[in-house]
Amino acid sequence: MPPKKRNSQTQSKEVKSAESVSPDKKEGPELSFKKHRDKDAEFVTLCKSLHVTDLVCDRAWALWKTVQESMDEIADSQKRVWGACLFVSGTEVDVACFTLTQVLKAVRLNVKQFVSLVRKLDVNLDTISTKVNSALTRLEKKYDVSLALYQRFEKTCKNIFALASDDQQRETMRRCWTMFLLAKGRALQMEDDLVISFQLLLCTLELFIKRCPPDLLQPLYKSAISKVQSPPTRTSRRSQSKAKPRPLEPEVDLPLLKTLCKDNECNVEEVRNVYQTSFSAFLDSLDLSRSPDFPQAKDLNQQYDEHYLKSRDIDGRLFFDGDETVLAPKVEISQVERTPKKNLSDEDALIPPQTPVRAAMTSIQQLRGDLTSSGDQPSTNLATYFKNCTVDPTQDVLKRLETLGQAFSRRFGEAVGPHCVVLGWQRFKLGVRLYYKIMEAMLKSEEKRLSVQNFSKLLNDSTFHTSLLACALEVVMATYGESSFKTGGYNHSGAGDPVETDLCFPWILDVVELPAFDFYKVIESFIKAEPTLSKDIVKHLETCENLIMERIAWRTDSPLFELLKQEHGGGAADQVETPASFSQPLQHNHTAADLYLSPMRPGLRVLPPESPPTPGSQASSQPSAQPAGQTPRLPKSNSLSLFYKKLYRLAYTRLQILCSYLLSSHPELEPIIWTLFQHTLQHEHELMRDRHLDQLMMSAMYAICKVKSVDLRFKTIVTAYKNMPNTNQETFKHVLITEGKYDSIIIFYNVVFMQKLKTNILQYASTRIPQSPYKFPNSPLRVPGSNNVYISPLKSSRMSPGIMTPRSRMLVSIGESFGLSNRFQKINQMVNSGERSFKRALDLGSAPKPLKRLRFDVDGQDEADGSKSGGDSTLIQKLAEMSSTRSRMQEQKMKEDAESKKE
């Protein structure tokens, strides 16, 4: 509903007064044209209007010059790009000069347009740092939530307010919206939490409805207001000073709240808890909790100004005025995904998709409905399973839940808001209900499969219980929208910000102190045991599993490395599948019980000594009998075997996507790249420690293209990689080089990956090399049709990884510039000095600073240090000379062989 002009002007004045103030007035003197006379006068004028410091001005101008050189064509006006450069520079140095709204108004763009423009600046992949990217993602998500809430607010107000007096109604709505924005800002650290924010909005509406004149209300809400007054309570000093204090009203009008919640498909108990904790504390801070009066608009705006200027992002009041900076992006109706509806004509059978608020409320309703029959205590059937155990686990289960419940609610409150511990307990109780429900379903399935009822070993396994509970809690938080993957699975707060404000996975693993490798074991069985899970939740859990396999399970403290060490030391046979089998669904019969009771070395898991294994677990956990005189061979761990089968499928799928982007004209390279990639995962898994699966994938692709003389630059690879699903720029900008030192993917390739695998990589230079080293036994095989030609499996290099040969030098990534020039000199020294050890090659001097600028190949730059050269580099000249010498030697040998045959 469009605002009245008079009100719009009033609001504009209020916002303008806020915009005229810099978020931090103490950031140095005002800019002078004299000091910045080397810059464009219009640029300096823009900087002065935004109150930027000299530091931000200088950095933004330098960034603008870089962008100007890098971009072939700048589609937007200079002023808009300047605004984007100022935002990037201000965010980088964390200087509070201006708000996002002030920049948007200065360059006349809306939020979505501005975010898109900033991301376009990342031409050379060196403009947008992880810090800036995180800030953009947070702002974009906060905008999406605010827009969804305002659209729902407008719709709800139409059902609440009558149209008798439009001016008064609009003023009431404006104050209500402003008060909600202030409440959200003060009560929540996570202002992008859609569900709790919407519940706070309902609390604010409840307050305004019961204080609103009856003639402004629709009949439904007029009749819903409770007529019962609260009993006398202690009044504030301000009220005591009045001669005739007004009657006090109840803290929350439950009938009215129920009407609001029913109209908005929201759980009344949850909203009531939000009211009694977060909202009541907010009202107390304004001295409004017991006052029957409306809060003054001037006071609300003044206090919201303080919050808005401090947060430095979007002025939420502009939604009410339909300001162009917060306009929703236009979507063609033909492009909108529609939902089919039964028993309607073809023309009417399509309806627009659910709004974000309605979708969230529907998901929560479905989850709570599915758990209606589940209690906070074990059911009768589950209690029977516990009693049938040799050692009853009931008390341990209850103690564990009490301990983890306290930890969860405390950490939830720390992340979401200071008064949200109660909400954390609510989420935890829902998780416990789901935990009991899934456990009972799993045990019934195991009983049917094994024909046993004594699951003492499994039910006394603490890791199993913690994993199952963590999975249930992750489902609850994903349903409430509090765990998502907006940042590609990375969970990083801004520099210098110790406050935890992100519940994204793997937050729950940190809370319950559970290794990711143990958590992965329960995911598939959890999904199978709960057929009512929505498609979105199933997809969420599968994404969690992928994140574990890609990165989280490979952390230094992961039990995965100890298990790999045992498997290789115990001689357990590896079962490697061919890529052809990856197109088929993974077939296996392992359940969570199998994986948690999988063979382990003695002493790794402590179980009650008096609990005998079940018949099913007994069979799967004992080594198979060996003939006399042979060394016992340990069985392969079920959990590790399944993990690697899933890992190979994930890795191959991602490689296929990247190859389809980059190597469609060279299809023969994909199986070769996969062979090297798979070899690395199987035999050089230490390269995955504290790293990401995709870092090895990109390195393997570059290595094979290099040895096969296919021109593919790292810049091209990472540009295509950014377009893949579930990726993050930190994957290629922040790679572990050595302990405590991080740098770009190119440094990792040159200093770590290529040094470790150069002998393996060089074997692919031959056209005769097999596409997979796993199709052959350990002993050489004779090539059919030949007398003395044999093929041996690929072997790892026995040379020192620091020794560089003329052939291995050709693998070094050159002609691509990145980082600081002294790092290129170090790499050149490593390449040109064959006697230098790998350890010394890693010594790059002082610990490198976190990568902020990552420059790749630039036209005209041929040297590894990025400098221009009039001719070939020394390295290339040497390679050419060696190649020529080798050719002459081969020709000479062929002539000698021919002459000897004639003789």
Side-chain angles (χ1 to χ4, degrees):
M1 57 180 79
K4 289 285 185 179
K5 290 184 178 180
R6 179 173 58 82
N7 288 337
S8 298
Q9 292 170 354
T10 304
Q11 175 69 5
S12 297
K13 289 180 181 178
E14 292 167 351
V15 175
K16 189 174 181 180
S17 65
E19 291 168 0
S20 64
V21 182
S22 171
D24 193 343
K25 295 181 181 179
K26 299 179 182 180
E27 286 293 339
E30 189 175 345
L31 291 176
S32 66
F33 284 98
K34 185 177 180 181
K35 187 172 183 179
H36 298 281
R37 58 177 175 268
D38 60 319
K39 304 175 180 65
D40 191 294
E42 290 185 18
F43 173 79
V44 180
T45 301
L46 176 63
C47 291
K48 285 172 69 69
S49 69
L50 294 173
H51 307 281
V52 305
T53 63
D54 288 325
L55 174 63
V56 174
C57 179
D58 290 337
R59 289 177 66 102
W61 183 253
L63 178 57
W64 155 248
K65 300 303 287 184
T66 302
V67 169
Q68 208 175 18
E69 294 172 2
S70 303
M71 297 182 73
D72 297 331
E73 181 181 350
I74 300 177
D76 290 272
S77 67
Q78 281 191 356
K79 188 174 182 180
R80 289 178 172 177
V81 180
W82 289 342
C85 292
L86 285 167
F87 172 82
V88 171
S89 301
T91 304
E92 279 284 9
V93 297
D94 203 24
V95 175
C97 302
F98 46 79
T99 68
L100 178 62
T101 291
Q102 290 168 348
V103 179
L104 295 177
K105 285 189 170 294
V107 300
R108 301 182 65 83
L109 287 174
N110 63 40
V111 175
K112 291 292 187 180
Q113 291 169 335
F114 185 77
V115 170
S116 175
L117 173 60
V118 175
R119 296 196 191 280
K120 285 178 184 177
L121 299 185
D122 205 18
V123 178
N124 281 332
L125 309 171
D126 63 348
T127 306
I128 307 301
S129 67
T130 303
K131 184 177 181 180
V132 174
N133 188 59
S134 297
L136 281 176
T137 302
R138 183 189 65 82
L139 287 169
E140 195 171 16
K141 186 177 180 184
K142 184 176 179 181
Y143 166 77
D144 291 338
V145 169
S146 298
L147 177 63
L149 290 170
Y150 182 73
Q151 291 171 339
R152 188 55 177 248
F153 171 76
E154 273 198 326
K155 181 180 178 181
T156 304
C157 285
K158 288 180 181 179
N159 298 332
I160 294 173
F161 298 107
L163 300 177
S165 175
D166 194 48
D167 287 348
Q168 191 175 3
Q169 173 193 333
R170 289 292 295 177
E171 183 58 34
T172 301
M173 289 174 59
R174 183 188 298 282
R175 272 195 272 187
C176 182
W177 177 249
T178 305
M179 187 174 181
F180 158 68
L181 293 174
L182 184 59
K184 180 164 70 81
R186 289 196 178 176
L188 300 181
Q189 289 166 187
M190 291 175 54
E191 290 192 59
D192 54 5
D193 189 308
L194 178 64
V195 173
I196 300 180
S197 296
F198 180 60
Q199 292 168 343
L200 271 174
L201 178 59
L202 295 182
C203 294
T204 310
L205 284 168
E206 186 270 351
L207 181 75
F208 272 77
I209 291 172
K210 67 187 181 186
R211 297 183 183 187
C212 188
D215 59 339
L216 287 182
L217 299 176
Q218 296 280 12
L220 175 64
Y221 287 94
K222 190 185 299 184
S223 61
I225 300 175
S226 174
K227 306 300 181 184
V228 180
Q229 299 296 328
S230 64
T233 59
R234 183 172 60 85
T235 59
S236 64
R237 293 180 180 178
R238 183 181 298 178
S239 300
Q240 290 174 354
S241 64
K242 297 179 181 179
K244 295 181 180 179
R246 297 188 182 186
L248 298 175
E249 59 191 57
E251 184 176 284
V252 58
D253 190 326
L254 196 55
L256 174 59
L257 195 64
K258 286 181 178 179
T259 302
L260 263 175
C261 291
K262 183 179 179 181
D263 202 23
N264 289 277
E265 302 173 302
C266 200
N267 182 269
V268 66
E269 284 304 315
E270 290 186 356
V271 179
R272 186 181 185 182
N273 279 329
V274 171
Y275 197 115
Q276 292 176 339
T277 53
S278 300
F279 194 66
S280 290
F282 164 71
L283 293 178
D284 287 341
S285 70
L286 298 181
D287 200 19
L288 288 174
S289 56
R290 295 294 180 181
S291 171
D293 299 323
F294 273 129
Q296 294 298 313
K298 183 178 179 181
D299 294 339
L300 289 175
N301 278 298
Q302 183 178 354
Q303 295 190 56
Y304 181 73
D305 280 342
E306 295 175 2
H307 168 74
Y308 153 64
L309 292 173
K310 185 178 179 181
S311 66
R312 290 189 288 157
D313 48 33
I314 305 166
D315 187 346
R317 294 170 295 188
L318 297 178
F319 285 101
F320 196 86
D321 289 321
D323 191 273
E324 62 178 6
T325 61
V326 293
L327 283 177
K330 294 180 180 179
V331 180
E332 295 293 334
I333 195 67
S334 59
Q335 297 176 348
V336 175
E337 181 183 354
R338 294 170 171 271
T339 307
K341 206 169 186 178
K342 295 180 180 180
N343 303 324
L344 292 176
S345 63
D346 292 341
E347 187 174 345
D348 298 330
L350 297 176
I351 59 173
Q354 291 186 337
T355 64
V357 174
R358 182 178 294 276
M361 296 302 107
T362 301
S363 297
I364 294 170
Q365 276 188 329
Q366 179 182 340
L367 175 66
R368 298 182 71 92
D370 293 339
L371 297 177
T372 302
S373 58
S374 303
D376 298 330
Q377 298 293 325
S379 67
T380 304
N381 289 338
L382 189 56
T384 302
Y385 281 120
F386 288 172
K387 291 177 181 177
N388 287 339
C389 293
T390 307
V391 177
D392 191 336
T394 304
Q395 293 305 312
D396 286 341
V397 168
L398 296 178
K399 288 179 182 178
R400 186 182 302 109
L401 290 177
E402 179 66 24
T403 302
L404 294 180
Q406 292 175 357
F408 178 87
S409 58
R410 176 179 55 80
R411 290 280 296 274
F412 185 91
E414 291 173 358
V416 180
H419 301 284
C420 295
V421 174
V422 175
L423 302 183
W425 270 110
Q426 278 189 325
R427 304 283 195 275
F428 186 79
K429 287 180 180 179
L430 279 177
V432 169
R433 290 184 176 188
L434 185 57
Y435 158 75
Y436 282 141
K437 180 181 180 183
I438 300 297
M439 191 192 309
E440 183 176 341
M442 284 184 176
L443 293 176
K444 285 182 178 178
S445 176
E446 287 294 289
E447 181 182 2
K448 183 177 180 181
R449 184 172 74 101
L450 303 174
S451 301
V452 295
Q453 294 182 330
N454 185 349
F455 298 101
S456 187
K457 191 173 183 180
L458 177 67
L459 293 178
N460 280 281
D461 190 319
S462 175
T463 305
F464 165 72
H465 286 284
T466 305
S467 302
L468 186 58
L469 176 64
C471 197
L473 290 171
E474 182 64 24
V475 168
V476 171
M477 290 195 298
T479 303
Y480 278 82
E482 288 154 348
S483 180
S484 61
F485 303 106
K486 278 279 187 178
T487 59
Y490 281 90
N491 185 353
H492 295 287
S493 59
D497 180 13
V499 180
E500 183 177 43
T501 57
D502 194 345
L503 302 182
C504 181
F505 184 82
W507 177 84
I508 186 62
L509 302 187
D510 296 331
V511 172
V512 301
E513 299 180 353
L514 179 71
F517 182 74
D518 287 326
F519 181 77
Y520 117 85
K521 301 174 187 177
V522 82
I523 295 176
E524 187 174 342
S525 293
F526 190 102
I527 294 172
K528 291 179 179 178
E530 183 51 76
T532 63
L533 291 176
S534 68
K535 291 182 179 179
D536 288 339
I537 295 299
V538 171
K539 184 177 180 181
H540 178 89
L541 291 178
E542 289 173 346
T543 305
C544 291
E545 186 177 68
N546 288 345
L547 286 174
I548 290 171
M549 291 187 290
E550 289 173 0
R551 178 175 58 91
I552 307 172
W554 299 98
R555 291 175 176 172
T556 292
D557 57 351
S558 173
L560 174 60
F561 288 103
E562 181 62 28
L563 197 54
L564 282 167
K565 183 179 179 182
Q566 294 168 14
E567 292 293 327
H568 287 287
D574 290 314
Q575 297 177 354
V576 179
E577 298 178 81
T578 60
S581 64
F582 295 159
S583 59
Q584 303 296 325
L586 179 59
Q587 300 292 337
H588 69 91
N589 57 0
H590 297 305
T591 64
D594 291 329
L595 301 182
Y596 284 100
L597 302 177
S598 184
M600 299 281 287
R601 292 282 188 178
L604 286 183
R605 179 159 301 172
V606 179
L607 294 173
E610 57 271 51
S611 58
T614 62
S617 62
Q618 178 93 22
S620 64
S621 62
Q622 295 298 324
S624 56
Q626 296 285 335
Q630 290 190 14
T631 304
R633 194 179 188 121
L634 291 174
K636 188 173 180 65
S637 163
N638 291 331
S639 59
L640 182 61
S641 176
L642 183 60
F643 179 85
Y644 256 81
K645 286 180 180 180
K646 292 187 174 185
L647 176 68
Y648 286 150
R649 277 170 163 72
L650 175 64
Y652 187 69
T653 300
R654 295 185 69 74
L655 178 62
Q656 275 189 312
I657 295 173
L658 193 58
C659 286
S660 69
Y661 290 167
L662 299 169
L663 297 173
S664 57
S665 59
H666 296 278
E668 74 281 358
L669 294 184
E670 181 185 304
I672 304 176
I673 298 169
W674 169 245
T675 302
L676 176 62
F677 190 15
Q678 189 180 37
H679 168 82
T680 308
L681 294 173
Q682 185 178 15
H683 298 291
E684 304 292 349
H685 48 75
E686 277 294 323
L687 287 175
M688 278 295 296
R689 189 182 292 271
D690 291 325
R691 296 191 180 98
H692 195 290
L693 178 71
D694 293 344
Q695 292 163 357
L696 271 62
M697 174 183 69
M698 288 186 278
S699 297
M701 174 175 283
Y702 183 86
I704 295 301
C705 289
K706 191 80 172 177
V707 83
K708 290 293 187 181
S709 301
V710 174
D711 185 18
L712 184 64
R713 306 284 183 100
F714 255 118
K715 177 184 176 180
T716 308
I717 293 175
V718 298
T719 301
Y721 175 76
K722 287 173 64 178
N723 295 323
M724 291 178 60
N726 300 320
T727 60
N728 189 287
Q729 64 170 346
E730 183 150 329
T731 305
F732 56 83
K733 287 188 176 183
H734 193 72
V735 190
L736 178 68
I737 307 302
T738 186
E739 186 176 353
K741 295 182 181 180
Y742 293 81
D743 214 302
S744 73
I745 183 72
I746 306 177
I747 295 286
F748 166 72
Y749 170 82
N750 278 329
V751 178
V752 181
F753 185 87
M754 187 267 292
Q755 296 295 325
K756 184 72 173 176
L757 295 164
K758 58 178 178 285
T759 303
N760 299 80
I761 297 169
L762 287 171
Q763 293 183 69
Y764 294 97
S766 170
T767 56
R768 290 184 174 183
I769 210 71
Q771 291 182 350
S772 176
Y774 308 114
K775 298 177 181 178
F776 307 99
N778 290 330
S779 57
L781 288 180
R782 186 173 65 85
V783 176
S786 63
N787 294 326
N788 56 356
V789 179
Y790 293 84
I791 295 179
S792 297
L794 295 181
K795 297 180 180 179
S796 299
S797 172
R798 294 185 180 180
M799 296 172 58
S800 170
I803 302 300
M804 297 293 291
T805 66
R807 292 188 72 210
S808 61
R809 292 185 189 189
M810 66 179 284
L811 299 176
V812 178
S813 173
I814 60 175
E816 303 196 54
S817 59
F818 47 90
L820 304 175
S821 59
N822 64 337
R823 297 189 190 172
F824 298 103
Q825 296 169 7
K826 292 290 184 182
I827 294 176
N828 275 333
Q829 292 170 8
M830 176 197 73
V831 173
N832 292 323
S833 175
E835 301 301 323
R836 180 159 299 183
S837 69
F838 182 51
K839 184 175 182 181
R840 291 185 62 190
L842 282 178
D843 183 14
L844 304 178
S846 58
K849 297 178 181 179
L851 187 67
K852 292 184 179 179
R853 300 183 65 77
L854 172 64
R855 293 184 183 175
F856 289 88
D857 47 284
V858 181
D859 292 341
Q861 294 184 352
D862 299 314
E863 298 296 333
D865 62 0
S867 63
K868 293 187 178 181
S869 172
D872 291 341
S873 68
T874 303
L875 174 60
I876 294 177
Q877 290 176 1
K878 288 183 178 180
L879 290 174
E881 291 172 2
M882 286 186 288
S883 177
S884 177
T885 303
R886 187 182 301 111
S887 298
R888 289 197 302 269
M889 292 175 63
Q890 289 175 347
E891 290 175 2
Q892 181 66 26
K893 183 173 177 52
M894 290 174 64
K895 288 181 181 179
E896 292 175 355
D897 291 343
E899 291 175 358
S900 63
K901 288 181 180 179
K902 290 179 181 179
E903 294 175 356

